[in-house]
Amino acid sequence: MSHVVLTSHPSQIFVKSLPILWGAKTPQERGPVVASLTDLTARNAIGVHGGAYSVYRALATSAGRLQNEFKPDLTNTAPAEPIGPFDSWRNPEKIVAIDPWGSNVYADFKDYFDKGYDIRPSIAVTKAHIYMPEIREAIEAGRIKQDGKIVGKKFDVAVTKMAFEPVWHLPGIAKRFGITEGELRKGLFQHTGGMFPELITRPDLKVFLPPIGGMTAYVFGPVENVADIKKELTCRVHDECNGSDVFGSDICTCRPYLAHGIEESIKTAQAGGSGLIVYFRKEGRALGEVTKFLVYNARKRQEGGDTAAQYFHRTECVAGVQDMRFQQIMPDVLHWFGVKRIDNFISMSDMKYDAIVGSGIQIGKRVPIPDGLIPDDAKVEMEAKKAAGYFSPEGAKKSEDLKKVKGRGLNE
């Protein structure tokens, strides 16, 4: 069966396709997202599961390492901690970039499983322990206690962690960006080189699983506290920076800020609240690591050396834009947790703040990175961001003001 037939003759092919009512009150009423390839007649979404990893699955299948008809055995894979449902799961405008019912599909859609539908989770919830040298230093300095519950004797920290694959409801995504669904579909089709013809040929399919990286979230303390407005919540929304987060590069503040957010989250959890770290796969301001390193070279080699005045300009010269981490869909994961208020927001980004508050979530206090955590080589970055209006101590700019500077690269 060719892909051309698959996308151009829906009446012949999609005979078992189930309707999706985004924002419905129950998972059964909403319907499952079926993006697997074991039964093409049952698909009701564009794209496939796995995000960026779907390409590796394609290679494994092509090389004969994975059978086309393979279906996962989901026994004992249910969430390690129950989460939701919350009112936001039933609001078609609050969550448009992930499937709110994507974590417990084996239970929620058992009737469909019994009928042979190949439904796969797009969210996983598990328990773990993490270890970071910065946290050990905080313990040894007396800023964090080894309570035996959240922080163990071996300097390990107990967490509940979640992984999310992107699942986009196209009408909702389009509305967030202030464009028509047709414009969104055309843009996605053209700028992925026609990778997903269903974007053009199947306007009846409203759900798209893009081949991009998703996100992970780490909860410190009881998960149920995250949605409890009576409990203090500390939160950091962090965009991936492999060079700093993993390898400790000192040209930016990414790892220091991430570690600071984790430390503050642990403190809040130990005080009876909870902490939440959300880690997005948006490397190099979503420009990619190759572009990021090219910009590093351009900044360092320019006449006069690396300066705050040229910081964003050099990025724009190489990439054509200063930042592609649009924050319109970022708050969705917070709504998945049922967050209504963040007491301590560990971020200096006006755009992140504005996106979260604009989505209906309150923010009490904004916490900047302490000066002592800023590496010397990162001071140019900090000066450039402050000069660009990146951080407003008195509060975030209004949404209308931010629209005027859209794409300026003001996020950390």
Side-chain angles (χ1 to χ4, degrees):
M1 183 181 298
S2 72
H3 198 60
V4 175
V5 174
L6 172 65
T7 60
S8 61
H9 294 74
S11 62
Q12 299 176 29
I13 301 302
F14 289 80
V15 295
K16 291 170 58 181
S17 181
L18 299 167
I20 297 176
L21 181 60
W22 201 265
K25 296 185 181 301
T26 67
Q28 294 77 23
E29 183 183 356
R30 202 290 304 274
V33 173
V34 184
S36 49
L37 299 172
T38 51
D39 183 357
L40 299 179
T41 66
R43 285 170 52 80
N44 62 3
I46 303 167
V48 294
H49 288 288
Y53 292 97
S54 61
V55 177
Y56 289 102
R57 187 170 64 242
L59 286 174
T61 304
S62 299
R65 300 287 297 275
L66 179 65
Q67 298 302 309
N68 285 319
E69 64 275 10
F70 172 78
K71 291 184 180 181
D73 180 355
L74 298 176
T75 304
N76 293 328
T77 63
E81 191 81 27
I83 299 174
F86 301 105
D87 289 342
S88 52
W89 293 23
R90 306 177 177 98
N91 187 328
E93 296 188 358
K94 289 293 185 184
I95 300 178
V96 300
I98 55 178
D99 178 4
W101 304 101
S103 66
N104 205 19
V105 297
Y106 194 59
D108 289 340
F109 302 113
K110 187 178 185 305
D111 289 347
Y112 291 111
F113 273 99
D114 293 342
K115 294 176 183 178
Y117 282 90
D118 184 5
I119 307 163
R120 307 194 181 188
S122 58
I123 302 173
V125 183
T126 190
K127 296 281 190 179
H129 288 80
I130 63 172
Y131 174 88
M132 295 177 65
E134 293 92 338
I135 301 306
R136 178 166 183 160
E137 292 171 5
I139 294 169
E140 292 174 339
R143 300 194 303 271
I144 294 175
K145 300 177 181 178
Q146 288 176 290
D147 57 6
K149 183 177 180 181
I150 295 174
V151 180
K153 294 181 179 180
K154 296 182 179 180
F155 304 98
D156 56 311
V157 182
V159 297
T160 304
K161 63 181 183 179
M162 304 82 181
F164 301 79
E165 291 178 3
V167 179
W168 289 5
H169 183 238
L170 292 173
I173 295 286
K175 187 173 182 179
R176 290 280 181 91
F177 283 88
I179 58 178
T180 67
E181 183 184 341
E183 290 171 329
L184 174 64
R185 286 175 174 266
K186 181 180 178 181
L188 290 171
F189 175 76
Q190 289 181 334
H191 295 285
T192 58
M195 186 183 297
F196 300 98
E198 297 100 325
L199 289 166
I200 303 299
T201 64
R202 295 300 310 278
D204 56 311
L205 298 181
K206 301 296 185 182
V207 174
F208 174 46
L209 281 67
I212 59 176
M215 59 190 160
T216 53
Y218 289 76
V219 175
F220 302 81
V223 175
E224 61 269 21
N225 284 359
V226 175
D228 189 345
I229 200 167
K230 297 178 182 179
K231 303 287 187 179
E232 186 178 6
L233 174 62
T234 292
C235 176
R236 169 150 180 84
V237 176
H238 187 91
D239 290 327
E240 179 181 26
C241 178
N242 181 64
S244 179
D245 296 342
V246 178
F247 292 99
S249 170
D250 62 356
I251 199 171
C252 64
T253 61
C254 294
R255 182 179 173 98
Y257 220 151
L258 177 61
H260 180 58
I262 291 173
E263 179 178 335
E264 293 302 310
S265 292
I266 294 171
K267 289 178 183 177
T268 301
Q270 290 184 326
S274 62
L276 173 62
I277 302 291
V278 181
Y279 192 91
F280 281 90
R281 296 309 193 279
K282 296 178 182 178
E283 177 62 63
R285 301 196 204 115
L287 302 172
E289 206 161 23
V290 169
T291 296
K292 179 179 179 179
F293 287 6
L294 294 174
V295 171
Y296 284 168
N297 285 344
R299 284 170 49 195
K300 294 173 182 178
R301 293 170 180 170
Q302 65 189 346
E303 185 177 352
D306 194 11
T307 65
Q310 292 295 314
Y311 179 86
F312 289 120
H313 175 67
R314 294 310 302 155
T315 302
E316 193 169 35
C317 287
V318 175
V321 65
Q322 295 175 3
D323 197 326
M324 291 196 301
R325 293 171 302 164
F326 301 110
Q327 301 296 348
Q328 285 91 331
I329 58 178
M330 174 268 290
D332 286 32
V333 65
L334 303 178
H335 289 292
W336 185 78
F337 280 104
V339 173
K340 293 183 176 64
R341 175 182 171 83
I342 298 171
D343 297 281
N344 310 298
F345 185 48
I346 314 298
S347 175
M348 297 171 68
S349 169
D350 285 343
M351 291 178 73
K352 288 180 182 177
Y353 176 98
D354 188 76
I356 292 171
V357 173
S359 77
I361 296 173
Q362 299 175 4
I363 291 181
K365 180 174 64 176
R366 301 171 68 180
V367 183
I369 186 171
D371 290 339
L373 295 181
I374 301 175
D376 289 341
D377 284 352
K379 290 180 180 177
V380 168
E381 175 192 61
M382 297 301 291
E383 291 171 4
K385 289 178 177 178
K386 290 179 181 178
Y390 169 86
F391 174 52
S392 302
E394 70 278 6
K397 298 179 178 65
K398 295 181 180 179
S399 298
E400 292 303 315
D401 294 332
L402 286 176
K403 289 178 182 178
K404 299 176 184 178
V405 294
K406 188 176 182 181
R408 284 173 55 195
L410 307 185
N411 303 36
E412 74 249 38

